[in-house]
Short mmCIF file of all heavy atoms in Angstrom, two decimals:
data_model
loop_
_atom_site.label_atom_id
_atom_site.label_comp_id
_atom_site.label_asym_id
_atom_site.label_seq_id
_atom_site.Cartn_x
_atom_site.Cartn_y
_atom_site.Cartn_z
N GLN F 113 98.23 49.06 -96.64
CA GLN F 113 97.95 50.48 -96.62
C GLN F 113 96.42 50.77 -96.72
O GLN F 113 95.86 51.68 -96.11
CB GLN F 113 98.72 51.25 -97.68
CG GLN F 113 98.79 52.75 -97.50
CD GLN F 113 99.50 53.09 -96.20
OE1 GLN F 113 100.54 52.48 -95.87
NE2 GLN F 113 99.00 54.11 -95.51
N GLU F 117 94.28 53.00 -94.14
CA GLU F 117 93.46 54.18 -94.51
C GLU F 117 92.02 53.92 -94.06
O GLU F 117 91.33 54.83 -93.60
CB GLU F 117 93.53 54.35 -95.99
CG GLU F 117 94.97 54.59 -96.57
CD GLU F 117 95.59 55.91 -96.15
OE1 GLU F 117 94.86 56.80 -95.64
OE2 GLU F 117 96.79 56.06 -96.34
N ALA F 120 91.79 54.38 -90.44
CA ALA F 120 91.74 55.79 -90.09
C ALA F 120 90.31 56.30 -90.31
O ALA F 120 89.79 57.06 -89.46
CB ALA F 120 92.74 56.54 -90.96
N TYR F 124 88.10 57.94 -87.32
CA TYR F 124 87.61 59.33 -87.35
C TYR F 124 86.07 59.37 -87.33
O TYR F 124 85.49 60.29 -86.78
CB TYR F 124 88.17 60.03 -88.60
CG TYR F 124 89.58 60.16 -88.58
CD1 TYR F 124 90.40 60.16 -89.78
CD2 TYR F 124 90.32 60.37 -87.38
CE1 TYR F 124 91.81 60.30 -89.71
CE2 TYR F 124 91.71 60.50 -87.37
CZ TYR F 124 92.45 60.49 -88.52
OH TYR F 124 93.82 60.65 -88.48
N GLN F 146 87.25 64.33 -92.47
CA GLN F 146 88.51 63.56 -92.41
C GLN F 146 88.25 62.09 -92.69
O GLN F 146 88.97 61.44 -93.38
CB GLN F 146 89.15 63.78 -90.97
CG GLN F 146 90.56 63.42 -90.90
CD GLN F 146 91.43 64.18 -91.68
OE1 GLN F 146 91.20 65.32 -91.94
NE2 GLN F 146 92.56 63.63 -92.18
N GLU F 149 87.78 61.66 -96.33
CA GLU F 149 89.09 61.73 -97.05
C GLU F 149 89.86 60.41 -96.98
O GLU F 149 90.46 60.02 -97.96
CB GLU F 149 89.91 62.87 -96.41
CG GLU F 149 89.61 64.15 -96.97
CD GLU F 149 90.66 65.28 -96.61
OE1 GLU F 149 91.70 64.90 -96.09
OE2 GLU F 149 90.34 66.44 -96.79
N GLU F 150 89.80 59.83 -95.78
CA GLU F 150 90.58 58.58 -95.62
C GLU F 150 89.96 57.42 -96.50
O GLU F 150 90.76 56.66 -97.02
CB GLU F 150 90.51 58.11 -94.14
CG GLU F 150 91.17 59.12 -93.18
CD GLU F 150 92.60 59.41 -93.47
OE1 GLU F 150 93.23 58.81 -94.35
OE2 GLU F 150 93.15 60.36 -92.90
N HIS F 153 91.45 58.01 -99.75
CA HIS F 153 92.82 57.57 -99.80
C HIS F 153 92.83 56.07 -100.02
O HIS F 153 93.61 55.52 -100.88
CB HIS F 153 93.53 57.92 -98.54
CG HIS F 153 93.68 59.36 -98.31
ND1 HIS F 153 94.21 59.88 -97.08
CD2 HIS F 153 93.47 60.43 -99.08
CE1 HIS F 153 94.25 61.16 -97.16
NE2 HIS F 153 93.82 61.56 -98.37
N HIS F 193 97.75 58.76 -85.10
CA HIS F 193 97.48 57.84 -86.22
C HIS F 193 98.05 58.32 -87.54
O HIS F 193 98.59 57.57 -88.37
CB HIS F 193 95.94 57.66 -86.36
CG HIS F 193 95.59 56.53 -87.33
ND1 HIS F 193 95.55 55.18 -86.96
CD2 HIS F 193 95.37 56.57 -88.66
CE1 HIS F 193 95.29 54.47 -88.05
NE2 HIS F 193 95.19 55.26 -89.10
N GLU F 194 98.00 59.70 -87.77
CA GLU F 194 98.54 60.27 -88.94
C GLU F 194 100.03 59.97 -88.99
O GLU F 194 100.65 59.71 -90.05
CB GLU F 194 98.30 61.75 -89.05
CG GLU F 194 96.87 62.02 -89.36
CD GLU F 194 96.33 61.45 -90.61
OE1 GLU F 194 97.13 61.27 -91.58
OE2 GLU F 194 95.12 61.13 -90.70
N VAL F 197 100.59 56.49 -90.10
CA VAL F 197 100.38 56.40 -91.53
C VAL F 197 101.52 56.97 -92.34
O VAL F 197 102.00 56.35 -93.32
CB VAL F 197 99.07 57.09 -91.96
CG1 VAL F 197 98.90 57.20 -93.50
CG2 VAL F 197 97.88 56.31 -91.42
N PHE F 223 101.07 60.78 -101.86
CA PHE F 223 100.81 60.53 -100.40
C PHE F 223 101.86 61.09 -99.53
O PHE F 223 101.57 61.50 -98.39
CB PHE F 223 100.64 58.96 -100.26
CG PHE F 223 99.33 58.46 -100.69
CD1 PHE F 223 99.20 57.93 -102.01
CD2 PHE F 223 98.16 58.46 -99.91
CE1 PHE F 223 97.95 57.52 -102.43
CE2 PHE F 223 96.99 58.10 -100.32
CZ PHE F 223 96.87 57.48 -101.62
N GLU F 226 100.86 64.60 -99.27
CA GLU F 226 99.57 64.67 -98.52
C GLU F 226 99.74 64.48 -97.00
O GLU F 226 99.07 65.16 -96.23
CB GLU F 226 98.62 63.60 -99.08
CG GLU F 226 97.29 63.43 -98.28
CD GLU F 226 96.30 64.54 -98.57
OE1 GLU F 226 96.60 65.48 -99.34
OE2 GLU F 226 95.21 64.55 -97.94
N GLN F 227 100.65 63.59 -96.59
CA GLN F 227 100.90 63.37 -95.21
C GLN F 227 101.38 64.57 -94.46
O GLN F 227 101.06 64.75 -93.34
CB GLN F 227 101.76 62.15 -94.96
CG GLN F 227 101.03 60.78 -95.13
CD GLN F 227 99.75 60.72 -94.30
OE1 GLN F 227 98.69 60.56 -94.90
NE2 GLN F 227 99.81 60.88 -92.97
N GLU F 230 98.25 66.50 -93.89
CA GLU F 230 97.40 65.75 -92.91
C GLU F 230 97.89 66.04 -91.51
O GLU F 230 97.13 66.30 -90.59
CB GLU F 230 97.45 64.31 -93.21
CG GLU F 230 96.72 63.81 -94.50
CD GLU F 230 95.28 63.74 -94.28
OE1 GLU F 230 94.53 64.75 -94.50
OE2 GLU F 230 94.74 62.64 -93.94
FE1 FEO X 120 95.23 58.87 -95.36
FE2 FEO X 120 95.19 60.82 -93.09
O1 FEO X 120 96.12 59.60 -93.97
#
Side-chain angles (χ1 to χ4, degrees):
Q113 195 65 38
E117 303 289 349
Y124 295 146
Q146 196 65 27
E149 276 191 11
E150 299 302 351
H153 294 172
H193 190 85
E194 288 304 328
V197 169
F223 284 93
E226 173 72 2
Q227 281 310 119
E230 290 279 90

